[in-house]
């Protein structure tokens, strides 16, 4: 493939290029030096569950990989094992070596859904950070000014609001940047929220007398609620390991306004196919048509064409072709539940028994929002009592869970 | 001596106590635990020349030492050997181990003019900082917030003015504070400009589960020009190793307004003697009388009573008893100077030859300020020419340098 064609392919969907002509320059460099590029992606092993938001970056990496370039995955085990020594940041509890290893393995397993992991280099940054002493740490710190680090939006906001920032937090972006000097990255990839940290790598490489990496940032995919970026803490994710029906159903639930974004960022349609699908939408097609295309495409990527077809069929059967009375209810006998000894049970108790994977607070929210029905009637009081003598009862929880509770 | 009497003695001249009742509490603690206190003084081995400003703190330490407490001198060799890795701070060039050793020895030699060095503990902070790794450094950094460190006036001023602050600079006060945890200091002493750094020690000791040290800050002595604190960079110091005549002459040159400050901070008169001398001044004595008392007292401390008497006599002989024509001029023959081949020479050139230890810019300032006379006439143009044919010429430079330049 010519360099120009590679640029066309690789620049699709990229939101930020640092510097502007980064991609073309690095590809030209690779050709001139007759070598492949080193593309870096950092991973924080405290949160190993990947979702379609991560996939946006990973799919871009796959394109680089398919062109023969080397993907280097940096597992940030050094800082994960230190955690947040202040103990204030609960998402930064220190991890043991074993936990890091387990998380890294989980992560790599999920990567394999998109990348050819066998061809990736997996590096742990404790390899170089673990042997540095205080003097070397101070040398590293000296290469960046406070004003530079305060350009990071979240630091600046917290400082201006008078919220505490521990000094070690200022050091963490430098450690990520230092990783780039160690693997001599040509390009670092991330979401747009990683622009600052990635640019640290450029600066530290320059200080070390190395060529500065280019930075390519992908857009942050919105979550299925359409309100915020996809993130576990927002409970709006589609996980790469979600089951086909779940994955398809979640795609079907996104707001119509997100369709173009999802079409571009989560499917693997060709640009021509995408253009055609968008044209149909603009010509007045029901958005549901495009949603199904996106849903099938996504399930196909992470499972198979067959399961994609089955997920579509299941969805149509469950949610489109039948009235409430005709839905397929999962029969559950009270005898199989821990409630057997009681003669009455709160609605919340019952819901929790039927969907043990949901938190009670989530279920309570669903009930209060009117998303739970008992024999077709909305039940909005979590404490309302169901009586054994009234069984069987048909209970619907949310949009996709149907149970028939029997004696 | 009773604890109350010790407090009375030790609190004299102290400008800041942190906390307010620090001194009495620590002395009571020592008595209760039947032990002596550990008093810390840090020393930066990049600037080993001590002057009367340093002596203000050292004399207080001597009082503690005379009461049997342990003085621990921390030589900050760890950071001195790193220096300022940015290379921007010329006063923080990295020092070799040998240079640190030489500077420390020079420093200890000068300390011996005030302290019983044999009873001091001399510790190098590389002993504990040198073996810390990046993880431990990050742990240390985590114990302080950015907002806390920005309370240090100079950081705050620089940040607000947009002047660069390298991140490693923020770490240095923590290292000084960490020293306190290692020697388990009861009290840290310093000038008032060290209050912030010393308070870091309190915080880090508390984090480490140790009792917090008290901080005692001595006033910053003004330099002999009366305009700024005594400091080498201001060229307004009286060095502890200055020769008796120089030392005495400099004391005689201080502005009258500084007399009470100097009486309190640089002499070793008893409180009663100080009171009496001040009373005489207030009753209309010529300030010169008090100046001579201070001058003799200071020379006596750093040299001997005899040299103090000689310095007084020399001063009176040179500056008070004689008119200009009767001064003792140092005869210098042009033949001994590198100017021999010329027939005319600029005033500045001549001054530089006569006082090679002065910088040209200083000499130019003296000339332009009217402090140089040629045969009794002020010469304020540094470029004015002196002709060989006019020799011999009597040249006075400043207040205390008289030369007769001959052929």
């Amino acid at each position: 493939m010519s360099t120009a064609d590679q640029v066309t392919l690789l620049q699709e969907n990229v939101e930020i290029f640092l510097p502007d002509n980064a991609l073309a320059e690095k590809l030209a460099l690779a050709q001139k030096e007759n070598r492949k590029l080193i593309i870096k992606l950092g991973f924080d092993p405290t949160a190993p569950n990947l979702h379609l938001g991560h996939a946006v970056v990973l799919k871009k990496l796959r394109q680089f990989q398919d062109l023969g370039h080397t993907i280097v995955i940096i597992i940030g085990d050094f800082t994960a094992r230190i955690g947040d020594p202040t103990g204030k940041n609960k998402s930064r509890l220190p991890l043991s070596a074993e936990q890091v290893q387990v998380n890294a393995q989980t992560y790599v397993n999920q990567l394999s859904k998109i990348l050819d992991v066998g061809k990736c280099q997996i590096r742990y940054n404790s390899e170089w950070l673990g042997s540095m002493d205080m003097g070397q740490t101070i040398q590293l710190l000296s290469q960046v000014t406070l004003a530079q680090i305060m350009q990071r939006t979240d630091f600046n906001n917290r400082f201006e609001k008078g919220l505490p920032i521990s000094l070690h937090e200022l050091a963490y972006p430098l450690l990520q940047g230092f990783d780039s000097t160690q693997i001599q990255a040509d390009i670092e990839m991330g979401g747009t929220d990683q622009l600052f940290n990635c640019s640290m790598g450029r600066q530290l490489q320059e200080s070390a007398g190395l060529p500065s990496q280019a930075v390519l940032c992908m857009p942050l995919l919105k979550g299925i609620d359409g309100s915020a970026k996809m993130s576990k803490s927002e409970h709006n994710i589609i996980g790469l390991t979600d089951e086909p029906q779940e994955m398809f159903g979640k795609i079907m639930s996104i707001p119509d306004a997100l369709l173009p974004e999802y079409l571009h960022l989560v499917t693997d349609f060709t640009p021509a196919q995408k253009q055609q699908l968008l044209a149909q939408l603009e010509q007045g097609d029901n958005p549901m048509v495009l949603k199904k295309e996106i849903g099938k495409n996504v399930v196909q990527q992470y499972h198979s064409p067959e399961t994609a077809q089955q997920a579509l069929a299941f969805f149509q059967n469950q949610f489109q072709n039948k009235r409430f009375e005709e839905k397929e209810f999962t029969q559950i006998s009270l005898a199989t539940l821990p409630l057997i000894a009681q003669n009455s049970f709160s609605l919340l108790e019952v819901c929790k028994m039927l969907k043990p994977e949901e938190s009670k607070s989530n279920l309570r929210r669903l009930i209060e929002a009117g998303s739970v029905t008992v024999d077709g009637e909305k039940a909005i009081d979590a404490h309302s009592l169901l009586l054994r003598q009234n069984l069987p009862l048909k209970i619907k929880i949310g949009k996709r869970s149907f149970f028939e509770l029997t004696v």
Side-chain angles (χ1 to χ4, degrees), chain A:
Chain A
M1 200 186 286
S2 75
T3 301
D5 286 348
Q6 290 188 28
V7 170
T8 305
L9 174 71
L10 292 170
Q11 75 188 3
E12 191 197 358
N13 288 333
V14 176
E15 187 167 326
I16 301 173
F17 298 89
L18 182 69
D20 287 345
N21 55 352
L23 184 59
E25 275 192 359
K26 292 291 181 186
L27 288 170
L29 178 78
Q31 192 172 46
K32 185 178 157 208
E33 297 184 351
N34 194 25
R35 65 177 180 90
K36 294 304 177 180
L37 295 174
I38 296 170
I39 320 286
K40 171 191 169 194
L41 180 71
F43 159 65
D44 172 2
T46 54
N49 292 309
L50 297 188
H51 51 64
L52 288 188
H54 299 110
V56 175
V57 177
L58 295 172
K59 285 151 65 79
K60 183 58 63 182
L61 285 174
R62 177 73 205 211
Q63 291 181 326
F64 278 102
Q65 190 172 49
D66 287 341
L67 292 167
H69 301 293
T70 305
I71 310 301
V72 182
I73 306 289
I74 305 282
I75 311 265
D77 67 326
F78 181 79
T79 44
R81 292 186 57 186
I82 296 174
D84 179 20
T86 65
K88 284 174 194 155
N89 187 341
K90 296 218 170 106
S91 64
R92 268 235 139 106
L93 293 177
L95 299 185
S96 68
E98 293 69 33
Q99 283 173 305
V100 167
Q101 199 57 51
V102 167
N103 287 356
Q105 193 53 54
T106 308
Y107 175 74
V108 171
N109 290 345
Q110 293 174 65
L111 282 186
S112 69
K113 289 187 166 283
I114 298 176
L115 293 171
D116 182 345
V117 172
K119 287 183 182 162
C120 293
Q121 286 183 26
I122 314 279
R123 304 281 292 270
Y124 291 77
N125 67 2
S126 60
E127 183 189 328
W128 43 86
L129 298 180
S131 59
M132 284 171 73
D133 62 21
M134 182 186 271
Q136 291 166 315
T137 310
I138 285 176
Q139 288 270 359
L140 180 59
L141 290 175
S142 77
Q143 293 172 40
V144 174
T145 68
L146 180 60
Q148 287 173 322
I149 209 87
M150 291 306 282
Q151 284 169 13
R152 211 174 85 162
T153 320
D154 62 326
F155 286 150
N156 199 28
N157 289 346
R158 283 161 66 194
F159 191 65
E160 301 221 321
K161 284 182 190 158
L163 298 173
I165 305 170
S166 293
L167 286 187
H168 75 290
E169 297 183 69
L170 304 183
Y172 278 3
L174 276 72
L175 304 191
Q176 178 174 337
F178 189 72
D179 294 344
S180 293
T181 70
Q182 295 303 294
I183 64 163
Q184 306 206 11
D186 293 301
I187 295 178
E188 180 162 3
M189 297 249 6
T192 50
D193 53 353
Q194 286 295 307
L195 175 62
F196 180 88
N197 288 352
C198 295
S199 70
M200 277 288 124
R202 288 173 55 78
Q203 183 171 342
L204 295 178
Q205 285 175 317
E206 199 186 322
S207 295
L210 298 167
S212 291
Q213 66 185 12
V215 178
L216 266 56
C217 295
M218 301 304 290
L220 300 177
L221 184 72
K222 285 215 175 66
I224 56 174
D225 55 358
S227 68
K229 79 164 188 171
M230 185 171 284
S231 127
K232 204 179 167 191
S233 61
E234 297 285 338
H235 305 288
N236 63 6
I237 70 168
I238 301 177
L240 296 194
T241 55
D242 278 358
E243 292 303 317
Q245 289 179 8
E246 179 81 358
M247 202 173 243
F248 190 91
K250 283 178 177 174
I251 292 278
M252 294 309 291
S253 77
I254 65 172
D256 294 347
L258 288 192
L259 285 174
E261 177 177 337
Y262 271 58
L263 179 66
H264 283 299
L265 298 179
V266 307
T267 71
D268 62 2
F269 291 121
T270 65
Q273 290 171 318
K274 288 176 181 175
Q275 213 170 355
Q276 198 194 333
L277 287 164
L278 278 177
Q280 289 172 1
L281 184 68
E282 280 159 20
Q283 284 156 21
D285 255 21
N286 186 333
M288 185 71 82
V289 177
L290 179 52
K291 260 187 212 176
K292 286 181 185 169
E293 290 299 330
I294 295 174
K296 275 195 297 179
N297 181 285
V298 169
V299 175
Q300 184 170 329
Q301 285 179 66
Y302 300 101
H303 297 280
S304 69
E306 296 71 38
T307 50
Q309 205 52 52
Q310 289 162 5
L312 169 65
F314 175 82
F315 178 85
Q316 287 176 328
N317 186 43
Q318 277 293 70
F319 305 102
Q320 295 196 281
N321 302 339
K322 293 184 181 178
R323 287 176 302 132
F324 182 76
E325 295 72 23
E326 298 167 308
K327 301 278 185 192
E328 288 172 12
F329 287 83
T330 308
Q331 302 260 342
I332 293 196
S333 163
L334 199 59
T336 66
L337 297 179
L339 295 174
I340 189 164
Q342 296 172 230
N343 283 316
S344 68
F345 350 89
S346 79
L347 178 60
L348 184 58
E349 275 178 311
V350 171
C351 288
K352 178 69 184 171
M353 292 298 157
L354 295 173
K355 286 184 77 75
E357 73 280 11
E358 287 287 333
S359 72
K360 275 201 166 181
S361 56
N362 260 352
L363 289 168
R364 186 190 307 274
R365 253 202 317 272
L366 282 171
I367 294 169
E368 290 168 355
S371 303
V372 172
T373 63
V374 178
D375 272 357
E377 302 279 329
K378 274 188 190 172
I380 60 168
D381 179 359
H383 302 294
S384 61
L385 293 180
L386 306 188
L387 303 180
R388 181 185 290 268
Q389 64 200 50
N390 292 341
L391 295 184
L393 289 169
K394 286 185 168 168
I395 299 170
K396 175 187 166 220
I397 302 173
K399 287 187 185 165
R400 288 186 290 284
S401 299
F402 300 86
F403 302 96
E404 182 167 15
L405 189 60
T406 61
V407 179

